[in-house]
Amino acid sequence: MSENKEQILVKQLLKKEEAAWKELFGAYSGNLTYVCSRYIAEKEDVHDVLQNSFIKMFRSIESFEYRGNGSLRAWMTRIVVNESLKYIRRNNDFRSAVEVEDLSDIPEEEEPDFEEVPQEDIMQMIRSLPEGYRTVFNLYVFEKKSHKEISGLLGIAENSSASQFHRAKALLVQKINEFKMSKKAQV
């Protein structure tokens, strides 16, 4: 069975070939920037975290184990998420977030209705969430982590993770409803 493009790239990366690292960066930096920007709001900080992530990839490529097509992207994404979380823990007190009173008129269990909202606008809404909410929301929704896993990753109580997730959802519902109302008003 012949090797696919990803396997060939991994072999070149293991040999620390500069051209392979350039190819990796060119092929994956856009996607990894997107992943990082879900957690980190400021562009300069996203750039710093990505740079640290690529350094970590370079230093730890020997630990990568090819497990089929897409495993390289999954490995790199995991590094970017972990480096983003490390940055958040080091630089911010993400435990402080919006007070409960700010959400008093939002039904707690209403699900966000993303229909008719462009993906770019949805991502901007997610990026605008308070940091703690955004972090928990991203880990739960995009990384498929349980609240128990999130509590371990962030050093918060499991019920705090669940609470921040529900508040993030409530804020998203509010932002989506405001977006839809503003679109209707323009028509």
Side-chain angles (χ1 to χ4, degrees):
M1 189 168 99
S2 66
E3 293 179 325
N4 68 29
K5 188 176 180 179
E6 191 176 70
Q7 286 174 299
I8 294 167
L9 180 60
V10 168
K11 283 187 175 184
Q12 293 169 335
L13 293 171
L14 286 167
K15 294 177 187 173
K16 304 283 186 183
E17 292 180 13
E18 188 176 334
W21 285 99
K22 285 181 180 177
E23 181 181 339
L24 178 91
F25 184 82
Y28 294 100
S29 64
N31 179 264
L32 296 175
T33 299
Y34 177 77
V35 169
C36 188
S37 68
R38 288 194 326 240
Y39 293 91
I40 312 292
E42 299 296 321
K43 268 189 176 175
E44 302 84 32
D45 297 334
V46 168
H47 176 76
D48 291 346
V49 170
L50 279 176
Q51 185 173 350
N52 290 341
S53 298
F54 275 102
I55 290 169
K56 178 119 182 190
M57 289 172 210
F58 181 79
R59 290 183 177 156
S60 62
I61 188 66
E62 293 83 16
S63 70
F64 172 72
E65 185 180 318
Y66 184 79
R67 295 183 178 160
N69 202 23
S71 60
L72 180 62
R73 178 188 296 255
W75 178 75
M76 292 186 311
T77 299
R78 195 167 49 255
I79 288 174
V80 170
V81 168
N82 288 337
E83 288 298 308
S84 297
L85 295 176
K86 191 186 306 181
Y87 173 86
I88 290 168
R89 284 191 299 265
R90 198 173 50 238
N91 294 294
N92 302 308
D93 180 15
F94 63 88
R95 290 182 192 100
S96 61
V98 175
E99 294 298 318
V100 181
E101 304 88 64
D102 295 343
L103 303 174
S104 58
D105 58 348
I106 301 172
E108 184 69 26
E109 292 304 313
E110 187 177 344
E111 289 293 321
D113 178 12
F114 296 115
E115 231 175 275
E116 301 170 24
V117 181
Q119 183 178 357
E120 189 174 311
D121 291 315
I122 292 169
M123 291 314 297
Q124 186 55 44
M125 290 175 200
I126 292 170
R127 279 193 287 276
S128 73
L129 291 171
E131 190 161 41
Y133 295 2
R134 182 178 65 241
T135 303
V136 170
F137 184 86
N138 282 315
L139 287 169
Y140 190 83
V141 172
F142 295 107
E143 310 307 327
K144 310 277 191 246
K145 300 287 184 193
S146 69
H147 290 299
K148 184 175 186 170
E149 292 170 311
I150 294 169
S151 71
L153 285 169
L154 302 180
I156 60 175
E158 193 173 334
N159 62 350
S160 293
S161 173
S163 170
Q164 290 202 18
F165 174 72
H166 288 293
R167 291 178 182 162
K169 258 186 14 181
L171 276 175
L172 278 177
V173 166
Q174 184 179 38
K175 289 175 185 291
I176 289 167
N177 290 340
E178 289 169 1
F179 176 87
K180 288 181 175 183
M181 296 281 280
S182 74
K183 288 297 178 194
K184 283 182 184 176
Q186 292 174 2
V187 174

